[in-house]
Amino acid sequence: MEEAKVTEVPHLERRVRQRKEPMTVLKTKLSRSLSCSVPRVKNTLTGFFPVVLWLPKYKVKEYIWGDLMSGLIIGIILVPQAIAYCLLAGVDPIYGLYTSFFANIIYFFMGTSRHVSVGIFSLMSLMVGQVVDREVYMAGFELDDTKAATVDGFLNVTEDSDSSAVNLTIGAFGMECGKECYAISIAAALTFLAGIYQVLMAVFRLGFVSVYLSAPMLDGFATGASFTILTVQAKYLLGLKIPRHQGYGTVVVTWINIFSNIQNTNYCDLITSVICISVLVLGKELQDRYKDRLKIPLPTELVVVAGATLVSHFVDFHGRYDSSVSGAIPTGFIPPKVPSFGLMPRVAFDAIPLAVISFAFTVSLSEMFAKKNGYTVRPNQEMLAIGFCNIIPSFFHCFTTSAALAKTMVKDSTGCQTQVSSIVSAFVVLLVLLFFAPFFYSLQKCVLACIIIVSLRGALRKFRDVPSKWRVSKMDAVVWMVTMSASALISVEMGLVVGVVFSILCIIVQTQKPKVSLLGQVHDTVYYEDLEEYENLMSLPKVKIFRFQAPLYYANKEFFLKSLYKAVGVEPFLEMTRRMEAEKKSEKMAAKEVGRDDKTNGEVNIGLVSRELDFHTIILDCSAMPFVDSTGMQTFKGIIKDYKEVGVTVLLASCNTTVIDSLRQGSFFGKADKDMERLSFYTVHTAVQFANDRATSAFIGDTLV
């Protein structure tokens, strides 16, 4: 009789791709990069300064009113925030105004987003302030006043009897200035380095770094940092003069210090804080409730600042109640100065998280509002733009900037069309710098702290979203809580590191112990699905279909094997051991049955040793397996060999080209891939047909024999 015919599976020919030599590719890229022509120069300049492309096409009648209105409103918001966030940054108020002015001007020329508001940001200010306070403290200055302590071998301190300023001579850097001068020198050096890092990231196309900053991690980081900001500002609400804690555990130590010194509360500052917070929260709530009716946001911060300044000036809170005030804010601009290269080694490491966070927030906000308003941005150019928004202003006594969500949302809601609104905002800040800055002399620091704390409402409200996060994704909720806790309880910088590492570990854990399942056939179809998840599926006789929903690599190899053995119910090594023990037992029994004939002995032997398995083929569904490494390939080879010894065939199905290429490179299919057509199949169904036809063929062959 003829042998049973096995179903033929069509074989698809892979396209042959010509791979160029690495040196050839490198030479081609270098020649393109270094070539110079008029069109290339033009494209480079227009790419570097996008304003050249869109400004000539500016539709004055259509855009101007929206840009003017949004720019004016943002400028009004910027002024009190610029002064307030200097408390976080540990520098004088004038530098916050400088930062807001220059950042808006530079982003106007270099940014690709039409709506992003770049400037001071509470999180950046906090991170700068922590570095500034640490370095100021290490330099010998006391953080709660202007007195300095002498540090042998590093500082030479002299105090002028007619002034509270302290002149500091740093021999190593050849620089002489007081505490405020040293603080802004640290901030400028830090900002310069952060900008350099961002430009280098853009040049070397390292924007992919931001993909490791997941949305839950960034949310948790921002919330934890917001709690730190609130804690740092709480002392101003009470008028307490306690230094900012240096090192880990700022939140815990600061609250301990606050309660330890609660008896020293300045009641003038406390009452002012209660009134200001009440007005600010009321204004924000009214804004949120009636935002559809209000054409422009309520300038609550400006009203509070103006009112508090007037009351403080005429009642003389500083003189009568010893309330801390902003002090003299000079008009005009301080001459530019090259950031101190001598200070940069001290803050080189601190600038890395600043650069990454600043870039991540700017690019994410740019892409979010571009998508909302129907245009595109260039992430690499955004990185260059924010880099130069830090490099250039660092020469003008500024600190690190970033895009800010709240102000960007205000710009979008008030009719902003282009970055012309940034020029308008810069002009508002310029007016304050040139004319109105001295009027803020009597502005209490507790009022600035109130503005900062109330601005954190959005971030702190994220706590209410934790239950919904937990319902949607437990892993994301855990990432959020771990990052938030680390940022709040350890430190902001460590919170960022913990958040990134924990996020990556979560992904690794998910790939180490992924979902595994046995598949059944949907009746009268070629489709197969999870037997545990779906009803009315048919289990195939004699065939086990196993799906592993993760890449197979060195870290999850053991889990893969254990899951496979458990799912099919047979571990090859144990099955072979059982058979060998049964064979030895049968031999002993045969020796005892000396009186029986040879035929009976043979029957006993066969009955003890043989055990019919309920399947003859295992099909590995690789459709959810994006790649395998060398360990994964060896695992495949091992299970094929081990199961073959117990009479079970292992087949692969639905492998993508990446997996197939890895297997071919490891000679998995034999020489010249001669075994590919009988080991790998394009679909699970073709593998099932092949297994059944081959089993039928083998059965007929055995019958004929």
Side-chain angles (χ1 to χ4, degrees), residues 421-436:
S421 61
S422 295
I423 295 295
V424 178
S425 300
F427 181 73
V428 174
V429 176
L430 180 63
L431 289 178
V432 175
L433 279 169
L434 295 179
F435 304 108
F436 302 113

Side-chain angles (χ1 to χ4, degrees), residues 484-625:
M484 184 277 299
S485 300
S487 301
L489 300 178
I490 304 176
S491 71
V492 175
E493 293 82 0
M494 189 57 65
L496 177 63
V497 175
V498 169
V500 172
V501 172
F502 187 76
S503 298
I504 295 174
L505 286 177
C506 288
I507 299 299
I508 294 174
V509 168
Q510 285 180 314
T511 60
Q512 279 187 308
K513 293 189 176 181
K515 181 175 176 57
V516 297
S517 52
L518 279 179
L519 306 187
Q521 185 179 21
V522 181
H523 289 283
D524 300 325
T525 69
V526 297
Y527 303 111
Y528 299 81
E529 267 306 337
D530 191 341
L531 285 167
E532 291 184 356
E533 298 293 339
Y534 296 94
E535 297 181 354
N536 303 321
L537 295 179
M538 180 179 66
S539 296
L540 297 180
K542 301 295 184 180
V543 177
K544 301 285 187 180
I545 307 172
F546 179 76
R547 176 185 289 167
F548 188 74
Q549 300 184 31
L552 180 57
Y553 65 113
Y554 68 93
N556 62 9
K557 177 197 73 171
E558 293 299 327
F559 181 78
F560 172 81
L561 291 174
K562 290 179 181 179
S563 301
L564 176 63
Y565 297 154
K566 183 179 179 181
V568 302
V570 175
E571 184 173 347
F573 176 76
L574 296 180
E575 178 65 19
M576 288 299 298
T577 302
R578 189 203 64 78
R579 292 185 181 185
M580 291 175 64
E581 290 176 352
E583 185 176 354
K584 289 179 181 179
K585 187 174 182 180
S586 67
E587 291 175 356
K588 290 180 181 179
M589 291 181 64
K592 292 179 180 179
E593 299 288 338
V594 179
R596 295 191 178 186
D597 57 15
D598 295 337
K599 181 177 179 181
T600 304
N601 285 338
E603 290 174 355
V604 172
N605 188 16
I606 293 171
L608 287 172
V609 176
S610 64
R611 176 201 176 198
E612 186 70 22
L613 297 178
D614 62 351
F615 62 95
H616 55 68
T617 303
I618 296 174
I619 298 174
L620 301 179
D621 178 9
C622 302
S623 59
M625 195 177 292

Side-chain angles (χ1 to χ4, degrees), residues 10-56:
H11 178 66
L12 298 178
E13 293 291 337
R14 291 284 299 277
R15 291 183 178 180
V16 179
R17 300 185 181 276
Q18 297 292 336
R19 295 186 178 275
K20 296 181 180 180
E21 293 293 329
M23 288 303 298
T24 304
V25 175
L26 181 60
K27 289 179 180 179
T28 303
K29 289 185 176 181
L30 284 175
S31 63
R32 289 178 181 175
S33 300
L34 299 178
S35 63
C36 185
S37 63
V38 174
R40 182 172 179 78
V41 171
K42 182 179 178 181
N43 290 335
T44 301
L45 289 176
T46 54
F48 197 69
F49 296 105
V51 67
V52 178
L53 293 176
W54 63 262
L55 190 58

